């Protein structure tokens, strides 16, 4: 091959220093957008969060690469009930495209609402119909200059297939060839779960869990916010000492993995874990996808599907020895004052209200109040409870109705706003242009940076990730729990091993730290001082914010004091 045979694909290339236009050894240099994380979708098997599938519905640069990767896969989506209104806008459009390519999709959830089930089926059916008609209509249907089908030639949409709804569990819904079938799978072992209301402060919580703990049992306490979880942890720690542990989303990735491993080892299947007399305080991170078992559950009030998910951590493993105080599965529900009654409208705890909204919290309270004196029958009651919570049936006493009507009005408005705003950057549907290139009406740019497009497939809450490092007299270092004293050179691009360590040093900062404009400017000004030019060349660290702590693990970020503790996580105080 001649020495000047060099193909320059793109001007911004990750080419070696010797690869010039003249006199360079022969070869092809790939553009940077084919390197790094964008290659993952082309693997034979890909394990990822749902965000990577949702990004296929985002009008973004290089979205074609995602479609090429997904078009050759079988897609399995787990815990899809966790997608909120914003995410469902992208999930439905992504399913349309997957069906357009003929990609089989398996979507799984133990607590899926009927309306969500209908949306998923209808989205996939729309894509299937686009696939069936594409070749027949391609040459016959007139299109405008932009490649869009001219409206007067659009065919009238035929009705979507009906979805039979059953109140049995578990349920399997199948869409094939435009026909929907619903059938029941063999149910798991039936069990009754007693639900009780827990009112009052932390003293009431201590009193409620004491009989189980002193008898050698273990307790899971699930709070709806990190602030509330940390407060509960500290109060229980004063009473029960080192028997109390904490896990939530504001730990660096290294500690999150360590916490999850410890939970599985201690409370998972088998009798090898030292579980006697232990309390775990957690947020939603313990809600699903962890095969753990506790003798007693205390949970903040949440929408009914999430309460049921949390109950899935309660006496999960049959045959385990339980203390007499936990001879039956019991779930204590907190964060509602006063306890539900016909006389007074209860008020959800402020943080819970901010996370979930009062509408579904009050409907859940009304449903659970119906079980006064009788247990939940699981899994039989699961589909009935979910359908009623997310349906239009009036729930609760007459005295609650004004408050519930107002809460529903607020919810409907927030839902409508979220759906409208989410569609701004959504990829157009299959069939609306002659090619993917014609669908990028609102291209949003790079889809891989932590501070960019990823925010658009989830409703932005202002939160952001930082790499948390220690800055001492010898330079930059990892947090002490890494037990790795190697210096980190800010003027040298990190190698692959260092990139992995830095990725495990990331932690999420809560969105309220940028709650007003002056705070935002101060926070970003402080973080921008930790800009290391050589690190920007890394596909993992490029554009990533860095927060430096003192050897005492404290730091400053605008008007906030930041601390980190391996047992408590990230602390931010103004």
């Amino acid at each position: 091959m001649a020495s000047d045979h060099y193909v320059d694909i793109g001007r911004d290339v990750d080419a070696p220093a010797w690869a010039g236009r003249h006199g360079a050894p022969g070869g092809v240099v790939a553009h940077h957008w084919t390197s790094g994380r964008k290659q993952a979708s082309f693997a034979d098997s890909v394990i990822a969060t749902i965000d990577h599938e949702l990004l296929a519905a985002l009008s973004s640069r290089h979205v074609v690469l995602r479609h090429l990767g997904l078009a050759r896969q079988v897609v399995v989506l787990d815990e899809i009930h966790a997608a909120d209104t914003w995410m469902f806008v992208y999930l439905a459009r992504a399913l349309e495209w997957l069906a357009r390519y003929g990609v089989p999709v398996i979507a799984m959830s133990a607590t899926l609402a009927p309306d969500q089930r209908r949306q998923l089926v209808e989205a996939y059916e729309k894509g299937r119909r686009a696939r069936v008609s594409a070749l027949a209509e391609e040459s016959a249907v007139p299109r405008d200059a932009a490649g869009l089908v001219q409206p007067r030639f659009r065919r009238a949409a035929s009705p979507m297939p009906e979805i039979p709804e059953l109140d049995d569990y578990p349920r399997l819904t199948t869409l094939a060839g435009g026909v929907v079938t619903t059938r029941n799978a063999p149910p798991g072992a039936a069990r009754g779960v007693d639900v009780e209301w827990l009112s009052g402060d932390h003293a009431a919580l201590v009193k409620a869990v004491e009989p189980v703990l002193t008898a050698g049992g273990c307790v899971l306490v699930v709070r709806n916010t990190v602030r509330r979880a940390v407060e509960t942890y500290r109060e229980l720690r004063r009473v029960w000492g080192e028997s109390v542990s904490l896990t939530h989303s504001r730990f660096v990735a290294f500690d999150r993995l360590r916490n999850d491993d410890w939970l599985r080892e201690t409370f998972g299947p088998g009798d090898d874990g030292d579980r006697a007399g232990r309390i775990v305080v957690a947020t939603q991170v313990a809600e699903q996808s962890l095969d753990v078992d506790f003798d007693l559950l205390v949970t903040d009030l949440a929408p009914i599907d999430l309460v049921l998910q949390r109950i899935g951590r309660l006496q999960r493993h049959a045959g385990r020895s339980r203390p007499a105080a936990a001879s039956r599965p019991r779930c204590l529900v907190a964060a509602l004052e006063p306890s539900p009654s016909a006389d007074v409208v209860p008020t959800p705890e402020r943080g819970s209200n901010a996370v979930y909204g009062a509408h579904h919290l009050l409907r859940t309270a009304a449903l659970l109040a119906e079980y006064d004196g009788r247990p939940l029958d699981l899994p039989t009651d699961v589909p009935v409870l979910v359908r009623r919570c997310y349906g239009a049936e009036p729930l609760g006493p007459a005295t609650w109705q004004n408050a519930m009507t107002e809460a529903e009005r607020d919810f409907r408005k927030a839902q409508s706003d979220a759906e409208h705003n989410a569609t701004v950057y959504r990829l157009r549907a299959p069939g609306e242009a002659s090619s993917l290139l014609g669908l990028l009406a609102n291209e949003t740019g790079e889809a891989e940076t932590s501070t960019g497009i990823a925010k658009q497939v989830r409703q932005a809450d202002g939160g952001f990730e930082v790499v948390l490092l220690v800055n001492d007299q010898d330079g930059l270092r990892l947090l002490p729990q890494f037990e790795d004293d190697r210096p980190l050179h800010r003027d040298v691009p990190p190698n692959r091993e260092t990139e992995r360590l830095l990725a495990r040093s990331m932690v999420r900062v809560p969105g309220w730290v940028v709650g007003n404009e002056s705070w935002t400017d101060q926070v970003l000004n402080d973080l921008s001082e930790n800009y290391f030019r050589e690190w920007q060349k890394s596909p993992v660290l490029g554009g990533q914010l860095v927060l430096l702590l003192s050897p005492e693990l404290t730091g400053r970020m605008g008007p906030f004091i930041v601390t980190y503790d391996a047992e408590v996580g990230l602390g931010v105080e103004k």
Side-chain angles (χ1 to χ4, degrees):
M1 183 179 294
S3 62
D4 60 350
H5 188 82
Y6 174 80
V7 181
D8 182 9
I9 305 178
R11 201 172 283 277
D12 236 354
V13 297
D14 289 331
W18 43 260
R21 180 168 296 278
H22 300 289
V28 176
V29 178
H31 195 282
H32 68 86
W33 52 256
T34 63
S35 64
R37 288 171 289 184
K38 298 185 185 66
Q39 292 178 342
S41 62
F42 295 104
D44 291 335
S45 298
V46 181
I47 300 175
T49 62
I50 195 172
D51 303 71
H52 292 271
E53 195 263 347
L54 299 182
L55 285 168
L58 186 68
S59 179
S60 62
R61 190 187 313 159
H62 310 144
V63 70
V64 177
L65 287 177
R66 292 192 178 277
H67 284 236
L68 286 173
L70 287 169
R72 55 189 292 272
Q73 305 282 0
V74 174
V75 175
V76 180
L77 303 171
D78 195 14
E79 308 289 9
I80 54 172
H81 63 272
D84 60 17
T85 300
W86 184 287
M87 294 171 67
F88 240 83
V89 168
Y90 288 97
L91 178 58
R93 183 53 49 83
L95 287 175
E96 289 185 52
W97 279 102
L98 292 172
R100 171 64 181 83
Y101 299 137
V103 173
V105 177
I106 302 170
M108 300 185 295
S109 170
T111 55
L112 191 65
D115 187 56
Q116 291 178 313
R117 182 185 301 267
R118 177 187 57 78
Q119 290 180 57
L120 297 177
V121 170
E122 289 185 355
Y124 196 85
E125 173 63 8
K126 288 177 183 177
R128 187 197 68 83
R129 294 181 182 188
R131 175 179 175 84
V132 169
S133 62
L135 293 177
E137 295 185 353
E138 183 65 32
S139 59
V141 177
R143 299 174 183 269
D144 60 22
L148 301 179
V149 176
Q150 296 184 31
R152 64 178 182 276
F153 289 100
R154 293 188 187 277
R155 293 182 176 180
S158 57
M160 284 287 151
E162 292 187 5
I163 305 173
E165 288 296 340
L166 304 174
D167 275 342
D168 294 324
Y169 179 93
R171 185 189 314 159
L172 178 64
T173 300
T174 305
L175 171 64
V179 178
V180 176
T181 57
T182 298
R183 62 183 183 274
N184 296 114
R191 60 178 182 146
V193 176
D194 296 328
V195 177
E196 303 170 13
W197 298 102
L198 180 64
S199 298
D201 55 14
H202 291 102
L205 173 60
V206 171
K207 182 178 179 180
V209 303
E210 185 174 15
V212 175
L213 293 172
T214 55
C218 55
V219 177
L220 173 64
V221 181
V222 181
R223 298 307 199 192
N224 289 337
T225 64
V226 174
R227 173 192 59 79
R228 189 164 158 81
V230 171
E231 289 176 356
T232 301
Y233 166 79
R234 287 173 173 159
E235 290 293 333
L236 294 179
R237 190 88 171 181
R238 293 189 181 100
V239 180
W240 303 105
E242 294 184 359
S243 296
V244 186
S245 302
L246 175 67
T247 183
H248 54 70
S249 60
R250 289 186 205 150
F251 285 92
V252 296
F254 177 88
D255 289 334
R256 281 281 301 274
L257 292 171
R258 185 188 61 173
N259 291 343
D260 287 353
D261 288 344
W262 177 80
L263 285 171
R264 282 188 289 264
E265 292 168 2
T266 307
F267 305 100
D271 295 317
D272 299 332
D274 180 17
R275 51 194 283 125
R278 289 194 173 276
I279 314 176
V280 174
V281 181
T283 57
Q284 293 87 340
V285 297
E287 193 169 88
Q288 56 200 20
S289 302
L290 276 177
D291 186 8
V292 291
D293 175 302
F294 291 85
D295 298 317
L296 176 67
L297 171 68
V298 180
T299 174
D300 282 350
L301 180 68
I304 192 65
D305 53 329
L306 304 185
V307 172
L308 293 169
Q309 289 283 345
R310 297 172 188 184
I311 288 176
R313 313 311 118 190
L314 175 63
Q315 300 196 11
R316 182 183 183 93
H317 302 138
R320 190 185 295 280
S321 176
R322 313 281 181 188
S327 58
R328 286 180 55 85
R330 281 171 64 227
C331 171
L332 307 183
V333 181
L336 192 70
E337 296 291 346
S339 297
S341 71
D343 300 326
V344 182
V345 180
T347 303
E349 185 266 333
R350 184 179 64 177
S352 301
N353 204 28
V355 174
Y356 298 115
H359 176 51
H360 290 122
L361 293 180
L362 290 175
R363 290 183 68 84
T364 297
L367 285 171
L368 294 179
E370 295 179 6
Y371 285 82
D372 184 24
R374 65 187 178 97
L376 294 177
D377 185 9
L378 302 181
T380 304
D381 287 348
V382 170
V384 179
L385 287 169
V386 174
R387 172 178 55 76
R388 293 182 67 197
C389 182
Y390 288 93
E393 169 193 358
L395 298 175
T399 51
W400 293 21
Q401 296 310 305
N402 288 339
M404 296 184 81
T405 299
E406 183 179 353
E408 181 178 12
R409 183 170 57 248
D410 293 342
F411 165 74
R412 298 298 176 196
K413 183 181 185 307
Q415 183 183 44
S416 177
D417 291 345
E419 289 176 346
H420 172 74
N421 293 333
T423 59
V424 172
Y425 296 107
R426 185 180 60 177
L427 195 67
R428 294 176 186 170
E432 292 189 0
S434 58
S435 71
L436 276 173
L437 296 178
L439 297 174
L440 302 179
N442 292 303
E443 183 187 316
T444 54
E446 181 56 66
E448 293 290 349
T449 62
S450 62
T451 55
I453 287 186
K455 291 181 179 179
Q456 274 135 16
V457 295
R458 290 181 185 261
Q459 191 161 13
D461 62 358
F464 56 93
E465 284 190 332
V466 297
V467 177
L468 209 58
L469 299 175
V470 177
N471 188 24
D472 61 22
Q473 59 184 0
D474 296 323
L476 302 183
R477 298 190 183 279
L478 299 169
L479 294 169
Q481 56 267 38
F482 281 80
E483 298 181 354
D484 190 327
D485 291 331
R486 75 181 70 185
L488 302 173
H489 303 288
R490 62 187 76 193
D491 54 351
V492 176
N495 57 29
R496 288 292 290 274
E497 182 182 1
T498 303
E499 283 180 341
R500 284 194 292 268
L501 291 171
L502 292 172
R504 298 176 74 185
S505 301
M506 292 183 185
V507 65
R508 188 162 182 82
V509 176
W512 52 261
V513 304
V514 288
N516 66 49
E517 190 172 344
S518 64
W519 292 0
T520 303
D521 291 342
Q522 294 177 60
V523 168
L524 294 180
N525 284 340
D526 283 353
L527 292 175
S528 66
E529 294 181 5
N530 307 324
Y531 177 84
F532 310 139
R533 185 177 301 276
E534 292 300 316
W535 289 20
Q536 305 310 308
K537 300 175 181 179
S538 163
V540 175
L541 300 173
Q544 182 64 55
L545 299 170
V546 178
L547 176 58
L548 301 183
L549 303 180
S550 70
E552 294 74 33
L553 301 186
T554 64
R556 185 85 181 214
M557 187 174 59
F560 301 98
I561 300 298
V562 181
T563 59
Y564 190 82
D565 185 290
E567 302 301 324
V568 180
L570 184 74
V572 183
E573 298 290 341
K574 189 171 185 299

